[in-house]
Amino acid sequence: MNRTTRTTLAAAFAGVASAVLGAGVGELSAALIAPESSPFAAIGGALIDAAPPWAKDTAIALFGTADKVALLVGIAIVLLAVAAGAGILDLRRPPWGRIVFIVIGLIGAVAAMTRAQAAGFAWLPSMLAGAVSAGALLLILRQRQKTPDAATGAPGETGAPGETGAPGETGAPGDTSPSGAAGAPDPGRRRVLVWAGSATALGVLATLGATAVHAGTRGITVIREALRLPAPAVAAPPVPAAAELEILGLAPVITPNERFYRIDTALVVPQVDPATWKLRIHGMVENEVELTWDELLALPLEESVTTLACVSNEVGGGLIGNALWLGYPIRELLSRAKPTADADMVLSRSIDGFTASSPLEVLTDDRNAILAIGMNGEPLPVEHGFPVRMVVPGLYGYVSATKWVTELEVTRFDEQRAYWTDRGWSERGPIKLESRIDVPAGGQGLRAGETVIAGVAWQQQVGIEGVEVQIDEGEWRPATLATAISNDTWVQWSIPWTAKKGDHVLRCRATSKAGELQTEEEVGVVPDGATGWHWRTVAVFD
Ligand SMILES: Nc1nc2c(c(=O)[nH]1)N[C@H]1C(S)=C(S)[C@@H](COP(=O)(O)O)O[C@H]1N2
Ligand SMILES: [Mo]
């Protein structure tokens, strides 16, 4: 490796080190001021909102519910590559590398300020990150230019005005080393490496500090854990014992909170204090209504079991769960607000700016469309919308299940558009009739002999009449349904199978209580939910 290459690599390292330090300082300051203003969260959040319609789909298909981690890792990789480039740029064309860092800081600041929850100082962490990166790059690259004497002298010397005339400023990397011969040890480069290494270590420390601050100030988690839910005025009937088939590998009929899928656009989970939470019902109403947490808790709350499903759930996918919810009927609140006759939609808005469009009639008919505060006997988990979310049987989550909800605007479909409608998804999202095979697990070998095929089926608000199973090209045979909790929940099903040696294809299809047969036609999740029969192949051994 010749000297120019080594100097270039050292400059790239200087760029990366400066970025790590800047990002660490940015994250730490954000953790101290306001978590939503984290430079990473702000840029990531802006990217999520700006992403083209197919991107969410692809991200979920590739990474599932780890899509956010994947996004952050992606941002980090891109930033590190840009930072390495900035280091080299600053070596060759000072001060352009530093300008790159300042510009990235500005982008982060703008992103942070335009987030829905932006606090007054939202720009600060990103600007700090940009400024610290630029300053660090200047300091690190300067180490190259000091004469050996200056290096052993007072540290304050680095700011000496004479530096502007240093040889390094000419922009020719080969000329910058104070030591002449190629291949000879280069104390300037060594100093660059030492300073860059120290900056990296400091940056990592600051990032760890930010993590520690997050862990230490989990105020909302503490508040949530101290909460006691009021007893329901209307309790749900106990889940019938016959609703749970208890087959290994089959999704339990009630999904435990920690196994419940999570889908949202929030990179940083909104931290909403119930003490300051308020719901505002406004728009095309005769009376604006405001509701505080204490007022909500004082209302007669009702329990209901509802299966929530995501429109991005592929046939056979896991973006669906069933829980016991505790909440208050939205219909009662809307009857207080008195929507005007020409209103046909409610745009629910969460504290982070997400919006969902639900047909007004769905929120005013007699179904269990609720403002939920409890999930499976606990306050809502923070990532599932604490303290208050919506749950509406029969609609996909993206048009109904607003988490961290703070606003219901009564309006019209031809006047307002919701978050996902602007990104290519349908403005209405009734849940489609579907069924899924859980057992036997796909791709897994199976012993020949007596076994069982089992799964779940759902069409909220309608209910499931039956499920049929087909093995290879054989007859469709009716499965046995477990007892359904209600028409708003999925129902388990199973069918015995004498598995013979060889490869087999298993299919299932459901019929609804309205007499509809689940369609075989395979359509993708965009714009309003996937259809098709779920199938899987199994290899049966002796
Ligand atoms: N604030 C907010 N609420 C939201 C979303 C969101 O991105 N932000 N996503 C919706 C979607 S697409 C679904 S499927 C459900 C998922 O709810 P869960 O994460 O509790 O399973 O939340 C809905 N509520
Ligand atoms: Mo969703």
Side-chain angles (χ1 to χ4, degrees):
M1 218 194 296
N2 67 27
R3 194 201 305 153
T4 310
T5 313
R6 275 190 249 150
T7 308
T8 306
L9 283 179
F13 180 32
V16 168
S18 306
V20 170
L21 180 59
V25 171
E27 291 303 316
L28 181 56
S29 61
L32 294 169
I33 305 172
E36 311 78 53
S37 65
S38 138
F40 271 108
I43 293 179
L47 281 179
I48 289 176
D49 289 352
W54 48 265
K56 171 203 179 196
D57 197 23
T58 315
I60 291 176
L62 282 177
F63 305 111
T65 44
D67 54 343
K68 294 188 180 68
V69 178
L71 175 68
L72 288 176
V73 170
I75 295 174
I77 290 172
V78 170
L79 277 184
L80 287 182
V82 170
I88 297 170
L89 187 62
D90 213 70
L91 176 78
R92 306 240 165 101
R93 299 269 177 281
W96 283 100
R98 281 163 268 162
I99 290 175
V100 167
F101 282 137
I102 298 288
V103 168
I104 295 175
L106 275 171
I107 293 173
V110 170
M113 273 159 37
T114 49
R115 306 305 299 153
Q117 310 157 81
F121 286 109
W123 49 271
L124 189 68
S126 291
M127 288 304 288
L128 207 55
V132 167
S133 302
L137 185 61
L138 176 68
L139 279 180
I140 296 170
L141 286 185
R142 220 181 231 189
Q143 300 313 309
R144 213 163 37 93
Q145 298 155 2
K146 278 195 277 184
T147 64
D149 286 347
T152 54
E157 301 269 324
T158 53
E163 296 269 338
T164 51
E169 300 280 326
T170 58
D175 294 340
T176 56
S177 169
S179 78
D186 177 343
R189 192 172 56 236
R190 187 165 310 142
R191 277 194 302 276
V192 166
L193 295 181
V194 169
W195 278 61
S198 315
T200 308
L202 267 180
V204 169
L205 267 182
T207 308
L208 290 178
T211 315
V213 172
H214 280 307
T217 58
R218 290 159 47 153
I220 294 304
T221 307
V222 173
I223 290 171
R224 177 185 173 275
E225 272 160 14
L227 266 178
R228 289 290 156 266
L229 290 178
V234 180
V239 171
E244 177 58 72
L245 295 177
E246 296 194 26
I247 294 172
L248 192 70
L250 173 62
V253 70
I254 298 282
T255 314
N257 290 353
E258 49 305 335
R259 275 181 63 179
F260 209 96
Y261 80 99
R262 174 192 166 201
I263 290 289
D264 53 60
T265 61
L267 261 187
V268 174
V269 180
Q271 309 284 303
V272 183
D273 185 346
T276 55
W277 176 87
K278 256 197 317 218
L279 180 80
R280 197 160 83 86
I281 306 179
H282 65 108
M284 299 170 69
V285 294
E286 278 175 37
N287 315 309
E288 279 204 12
V289 171
E290 263 200 12
L291 190 71
T292 64
W293 174 251
D294 287 338
E295 288 164 347
L296 176 57
L297 256 57
L299 293 169
L301 302 180
E302 303 181 3
E303 278 182 337
S304 48
V305 181
T306 295
T307 298
L308 192 65
C310 181
V311 70
S312 293
N313 196 29
E314 305 278 353
V315 171
L319 301 180
I320 178 167
N322 186 41
L324 169 71
W325 308 96
L326 175 68
Y328 187 68
I330 294 170
R331 119 179 60 81
E332 301 293 341
L333 295 171
L334 286 174
S335 85
R336 278 199 221 169
K338 294 195 173 35
T340 57
D342 45 346
D344 66 2
M345 187 256 267
V346 173
L347 190 75
S348 49
R349 184 173 280 117
S350 87
I351 195 153
D352 67 349
F354 169 88
T355 51
S357 54
S358 315
L360 180 62
E361 77 262 15
V362 166
L363 301 185
T364 49
D365 68 17
D366 59 5
R367 77 184 73 195
N368 292 318
I370 56 168
L371 272 187
I373 63 164
M375 181 176 184
N376 290 331
E378 294 173 21
L380 289 178
V382 178
E383 61 275 23
H384 291 292
F386 182 82
V388 185
R389 76 174 303 168
M390 285 171 55
V391 174
V392 181
L395 299 183
Y396 286 119
Y398 83 109
V399 287
S400 69
T402 305
K403 305 191 270 189
W404 317 287
V405 65
T406 57
E407 224 183 286
L408 303 183
E409 180 180 349
V410 180
T411 177
R412 297 179 50 85
F413 276 105
D414 58 18
E415 281 184 10
Q416 289 270 28
R417 292 160 69 82
Y419 185 93
W420 286 113
T421 311
D422 275 337
R423 289 161 176 81
W425 296 74
S426 169
E427 64 182 13
R428 290 166 199 256
I431 283 178
K432 296 178 179 177
L433 171 60
E434 269 297 331
S435 56
R436 184 181 84 190
I437 301 169
D438 283 359
V439 178
Q444 177 190 307
L446 198 69
R447 265 286 167 77
E450 291 306 315
T451 181
V452 68
I453 304 170
V456 282
W458 61 92
Q459 188 176 31
Q460 293 85 319
Q461 282 286 289
V462 180
I464 298 297
E465 183 66 36
V467 170
E468 297 164 284
V469 173
Q470 185 192 44
I471 294 151
D472 303 321
E473 296 304 316
E475 294 280 284
W476 284 95
R477 290 190 296 145
T480 305
L481 292 189
T483 304
I485 298 175
S486 79
N487 288 341
D488 285 339
T489 67
W490 62 10
V491 58
Q492 297 181 341
W493 55 264
S494 74
I495 185 170
W497 178 35
T498 311
K500 301 219 171 65
K501 188 184 169 189
D503 291 338
H504 301 284
V505 179
L506 316 179
R507 283 187 188 76
C508 71
R509 66 182 189 192
T511 300
S512 76
K513 285 188 178 166
E516 183 194 348
L517 176 66
Q518 182 184 332
T519 177
E520 184 180 4
E521 191 197 346
E522 293 183 2
V523 308
V525 296
V526 187
D528 61 358
T531 63
W533 292 340
H534 186 212
W535 58 271
R536 77 175 23 158
T537 53
V538 282
V540 178
F541 302 101
D542 276 332

